[in-house]
Each structure stands twice: as C-alpha cells, then as structure tokens.
Amino acid sequence: MHAEGHSRAGPLAGFVARHERALIVAWLGACAVAVVVMGVWGLALNGAEKAVDAWDERWVKELDDAQALLEAGHSATALALLERLDRDCPATFVKHRQDRERERLLALLGTALQQEGKKRRTLETFQRAVAFDPKNFANHFRLAQAARELGESDVAKAGYEAVLAIHPTHAPSAAALADMAFDAGNYAPVVDVFERYIGAWQLETVHLSLGETRVALDLVVDGLAHELEVPASVAEGWKGVVRLDTHGYSARLERIELCPPLRAGEAGRREALVLTPGEEWLALGGTFDERYELSATERGAAIVSPEVTVPQGASLVRVRLALFRSIPGEFWFEAEKAYFNKLKVPRWRELLPRIRRGGAPEAGTVFED
C-alpha cells in the first residue's frame, strides 16, 4: 500500500520539481494582476462615489436656488425648477441619503403650486409629503394649512388633529381647530381643544447660568410652581449675574437658593443665599408684570438678576419655578368666550392661575435639533 501511494504522488512531485521556477513566476504574476484589478476596482468605486456626490451637490444647489426664487416671489420660475427636480429625484421612501432634501422639495413644490393657484395639485403634493413621512408633524401641518386656505375644511381638521396626535403641544394647530369651531358658532369643540392642549403633558429643559456655570433644569410645563435641586459649582467669592433662560416660555421665578458646599467638621450645610426677582432684575425677550412674572415674546426670553456676590460659593442650586404654556391671544379670547357660553365658568376660573396669555410662538411648538 505504501508503494502504491508513493507511485501516485511521484508524477506530481516530479512535475513540481521540474517546473518549480515557472510555477513561482506564475504565482507572483497572478498576485500582481490581483493587486492591479483591486486597485482599478477601488479607483472606479471611488470615482463613482465622487460622481454621485457631485450629482447630489448639484441637485441640492438647484433646490436651494428654487427656494430662493420662491422666497423672492418668483413662484412660476421656482415651480418649473421644482417640477423638474421632482421628476429627476422623486421622493419615494424615507431613509434615503437625501430624504430631508426630498421632503423639503415636496414642501416647496406644494407652496409654489398653491401660490400659482393650482388647488388640486397643491393638496396632492402635500398629501405626498404626508405619505413620505407620516411621523413628521410638519407635513400634516402644511397640508392642514393649505387645505384650510383652499376651503377644504374636513381635510384641514383632519390634518390639525394628526399634528396634535404626534405633537399635542403644537399651539398653532390647537388654535386653528378652536378658531374653525368658533367661526362656525360651535363652542363645545373649542373647550375640548383647549382642555386637551392645556392638559397635554410636557417636560421642558430651561437653563440657569452663573458665569461659566450652566445647569439644566427639567420642568413640567403646567403653570404650577415646582422646586428643583441640582448640583452646581460656584467658587467662593464669585461675583456676577444669574440668568434663567426660559426658551420662550412665560415664567414665574419664585426664588433661587445658592447652597454652600459641605465642609469637614461642620454639621449640616451653611445658610443658603436666597435670590428673588425684584425691581433691579431684567426681563429679556419679554416683559415683567407687577409680580415680576416674565411674559415672554421671543425664543430668547430670560430673567436676569443684578450683580450678586456669593461669598461662600455653592455646590447646590435650588430653584422654585413655574412655566406657562404658550397661548396666542385669539386662542385665549375664543376659549374664554366658549367656557362662558357653555356655562363652564367655574372651570375657567380654576384654570386661570395656571395659564397665561402669550408666550413666544415657538415655545412648545418646535423641537430642538
């Protein structure tokens, strides 16, 4: 058996021995060809990727041009460009590398069509945007706004309701639903919409700054005062202003307590420095009333103290604060009249301590990036 196996291996071993140099050269040549092929393939792919990037950049640049034309009032010219872009790169599915740009294309196209008086195509385009990304409340809102302006009340109501299902603190949608019912002389839905809007749960982050120290305060927006306690690092002898940025919410700041750090050998914490708004405090992006309550008018609304000194420093900050949901003036007027008309005056008076007219339009309506 050993001899038989040796005889089978013999010819192969002999072939390798006779052609060893040629086989080595062939192997090295094959490796070189593979390297060249892989290099060319890589260059081709990179070139293709660059070509795709160049196409995308050109396409987005044209979309920007169309938006500029539309904003400048040249809706007909913008429409022609947008229609071509829509034919070249239609919005068909989310998670595309340019899904946000395609969604923007639909929004601009719908706006251009509406400005050109093309009612049916306007609604169809905004409906395409809703179908493209039904989770984006802005798509539903654009459809609702266009439908209302074009006299399609049922479509508009459904659109606003869809917004509130996703984003229940969207003030423009709540106010629009109330306004439509109020104009129709139907007060019960106004009360219903107002109750849903005011009762929607919302957590907002505002910021308290002491020089370079900035702490985030997470607060429920319900018009009730909440006490928050957060760690902070304020050096002994620090001097400066304390600033509360409300991000567009009207607010009642009752007090700020700057608590000194604990020290070894001392029982308990030393007395806190307590700050309360008064005559020397400033309201930015809004105004103070007689109670030094901030009525916000801008997204950058803030309450700012006069210069204070913190002799013992602070390692803890306590804040007692209430935030109020934005209520446009017309929404407030219609809600008040509806509550009185439906004999719900006690309920309206119950709500009054927790609600304030006004607030920046963006507060609770837009999401931070």
Side-chain angles (χ1 to χ4, degrees), residues 97-367:
R97 63 183 292 172
Q98 287 185 324
D99 54 357
R100 294 303 95 186
E101 285 78 11
R102 280 165 169 72
E103 195 167 24
R104 180 159 66 102
L105 167 60
L106 290 175
L108 293 172
L109 179 58
T111 302
L113 287 166
Q114 186 174 0
Q115 290 183 7
E116 287 297 297
K118 302 181 184 298
K119 175 179 176 179
R120 179 184 59 80
R121 291 186 58 202
T122 295
L123 296 179
E124 287 176 352
T125 301
F126 285 129
Q127 285 165 342
R128 281 179 59 198
V130 168
F132 179 71
D133 187 1
K135 294 181 181 179
N136 185 350
F137 71 88
N139 291 333
H140 295 280
F141 184 66
R142 292 188 192 99
L143 173 60
Q145 291 285 82
R148 186 181 181 189
E149 186 172 323
L150 295 171
E152 297 290 338
S153 298
D154 291 342
V155 176
K157 289 177 183 177
Y160 292 129
E161 288 288 3
V163 174
L164 294 175
I166 300 169
H167 187 358
T169 62
H170 192 264
S173 292
L177 279 175
D179 190 53
M180 293 176 73
F182 188 87
D183 286 347
N186 193 357
Y187 296 124
V190 177
V191 173
D192 173 64
V193 169
F194 193 80
E195 287 283 342
R196 282 192 287 150
Y197 176 68
I198 293 300
W201 189 86
Q202 181 186 4
L203 187 69
E204 181 65 30
T205 301
V206 298
H207 291 90
L208 186 72
S209 300
L210 300 92
E212 295 182 357
T213 299
R214 189 170 188 256
V215 296
L217 306 171
D218 297 324
L219 191 71
V220 177
V221 184
D222 57 4
L224 300 175
H226 297 272
E227 190 158 307
L228 304 175
E229 185 175 280
V230 293
S233 179
V234 181
E236 290 186 9
W238 178 84
K239 182 183 293 185
V241 301
V242 180
R243 175 181 175 127
L244 175 70
D245 288 287
T246 71
H247 305 310
Y249 289 90
S250 296
R252 182 176 69 252
L253 175 60
E254 296 187 0
R255 68 175 182 273
I256 299 171
E257 297 180 21
L258 303 176
C259 305
L262 295 170
R263 286 186 176 178
E266 290 185 0
R269 194 182 296 271
R270 288 164 291 163
E271 186 175 352
L273 175 64
V274 180
L275 307 174
T276 56
E279 290 184 2
E280 296 182 351
W281 289 57
L282 298 177
L284 304 180
T287 58
F288 276 140
D289 64 12
E290 66 278 1
R291 297 165 295 186
Y292 297 101
E293 224 176 64
L294 172 67
S295 178
T297 57
E298 300 176 8
R299 191 76 187 277
I303 299 173
V304 183
S305 77
E307 186 174 79
V308 298
T309 301
V310 188
Q312 300 180 91
S315 62
L316 195 69
V317 175
R318 293 194 190 99
V319 180
R320 186 166 177 81
L321 173 68
L323 293 181
F324 301 99
R325 191 152 298 167
S326 173
I327 306 176
E330 190 71 11
F331 192 15
W332 176 286
F333 167 78
E334 292 172 350
E336 183 178 40
K337 186 168 182 178
Y339 275 88
F340 275 73
N341 183 274
K342 300 306 292 183
L343 304 180
K344 294 182 178 291
V345 178
R347 173 57 179 163
W348 178 254
R349 289 174 178 162
E350 179 185 336
L351 287 172
L352 283 176
R354 296 175 44 206
I355 60 177
R356 296 293 183 271
R357 186 197 309 261
E362 302 90 347
T365 292
V366 298
F367 290 132

